[in-house]
Amino acid sequence: MKRTWILAGLASALLGACATSPTGRSQLMLVSDAQMNQMGLAAFNQLRQQGKFADEPRERAYATCVADALIRVLPAPYSRQTWDVQIVKDGSANAFALPGGRIGVNEGMFKVATDQDQLAAVLGHELSHVVARHSAERFSDQMAAQAGIAALTVYGATRGNDAGRTMALLGVGAEVGLLLPWSRAQESEADVLGQRYMAAAGFDPRQAVTLWQNMQKSAGSGGVPAFLSTHPAPGNRIKTLSEQAPKLMPVFEQARAAGNAPHCSL
């Protein structure tokens, strides 16, 4: 009887936790935005305390310029948040955005994303993971996989219980040595949304294609970039981005005509 009651309660909780992503995809959401923001800020502060952030004002100002232009076109409440951008002491090509308004860009990313439009493709993709609540979705899926919802609590995770895995679930896996790739559905969604946001912000959406081509070249020259290791995707990623770019050119041109013309440079 007790087991039946627990299972019935779990089923009811799961049914009541359905959400819809910005592209219309169904999601399981057992974690609140407030809880995710708390975890994102805690993870970022942990990286700071570990001395992971580089004192590189030029690179930080450049990445912040690109991020600010993208943030202005995000839906509320993300466009109203205060975001902090830091440069991570890591030579691999990687970046991440966290719930709570935090962004990290590895030093090595600037060797692959060679101009503001390509960096916008990276940051637009990462910000899309936040807007689409992909971290919360991953935590929710993990919670649902447990014997009961109470078996895993967000507050327990934020207070040091397997901190490495918590950070990896947030998308900071490469920096803590634990890789938990996003799902293909989440990756495709971040690609679609990220390219939309960069066009609306006045960045050339065609450069998303160039960015991923650069990633492939970097992988072919020896070693897989961290950005590819933590962001697996189907082989048609470049093809899809190439097909979408012409459709987004009117959005890009309208943004430019309206004065959204970022001028970010190192």
Side-chain angles (χ1 to χ4, degrees), residues 6-265:
I6 292 174
L7 290 175
L10 177 59
S12 177
L14 295 177
L15 287 172
C18 293
T20 303
S21 77
T23 64
R25 184 174 58 84
S26 295
Q27 296 172 295
L28 176 65
M29 286 294 165
L30 299 172
V31 189
S32 71
D33 289 340
Q35 289 170 318
M36 292 309 303
N37 289 345
Q38 179 185 358
M39 280 195 290
L41 294 174
F44 206 71
N45 287 336
Q46 184 173 340
L47 291 175
R48 190 190 304 276
Q49 291 165 7
Q50 292 172 347
K52 297 280 189 179
F53 298 147
D55 183 17
E56 296 182 359
R58 288 179 64 251
E59 286 78 1
R60 187 183 177 201
Y62 170 48
T64 299
C65 176
V66 173
D68 284 348
L70 290 164
I71 290 163
R72 283 193 289 270
V73 302
L74 296 182
Y78 307 100
S79 59
R80 297 197 297 263
Q81 280 184 302
T82 298
W83 291 78
D84 181 16
V85 180
Q86 293 290 340
I87 306 303
V88 181
K89 296 176 184 177
D90 194 315
S92 63
N94 201 14
F96 60 84
L98 297 175
R102 299 294 183 265
I103 296 170
V105 183
N106 282 14
E107 293 169 318
M109 181 54 77
F110 300 109
K111 298 177 183 178
V112 177
T114 59
D115 61 28
Q116 66 168 8
D117 298 297
Q118 292 173 32
L119 185 58
V122 173
L123 297 186
H125 178 98
E126 293 303 317
L127 286 166
S128 294
H129 280 306
V130 176
V131 173
R133 304 172 70 196
H134 288 163
S135 295
E137 185 178 12
R138 289 213 287 190
F139 271 96
S140 299
D141 289 343
Q142 186 181 73
M143 292 170 73
Q146 304 298 315
I149 294 176
L152 176 67
T153 65
V154 173
Y155 292 110
T158 60
R159 293 179 182 182
N161 294 342
D162 197 359
R165 184 170 181 83
T166 298
M167 293 179 78
L169 283 166
L170 287 166
V172 196
E175 281 67 34
V176 295
L178 181 61
L179 304 180
L180 294 177
W182 301 107
S183 72
R184 284 191 173 189
Q186 291 170 334
E187 277 299 285
S188 296
E189 196 162 55
D191 280 347
V192 168
L193 292 174
Q195 199 176 25
R196 288 180 190 171
Y197 294 146
M198 66 182 293
F203 296 106
D204 188 344
R206 295 169 296 189
Q207 289 302 308
V209 178
T210 306
L211 181 278
W212 287 105
Q213 290 171 336
N214 290 351
M215 286 286 187
Q216 282 196 330
K217 290 176 184 176
S218 179
S221 64
V224 178
F227 198 74
L228 292 180
S229 298
T230 56
H231 296 72
N236 67 352
R237 164 175 256 157
I238 291 176
K239 178 176 179 291
T240 300
L241 291 170
S242 298
E243 292 172 347
Q244 291 302 313
K247 301 174 185 177
L248 289 170
M249 287 305 292
V251 177
F252 165 65
E253 291 162 0
Q254 289 170 11
R256 287 275 175 164
N260 291 339
H263 295 287
C264 309
S265 62

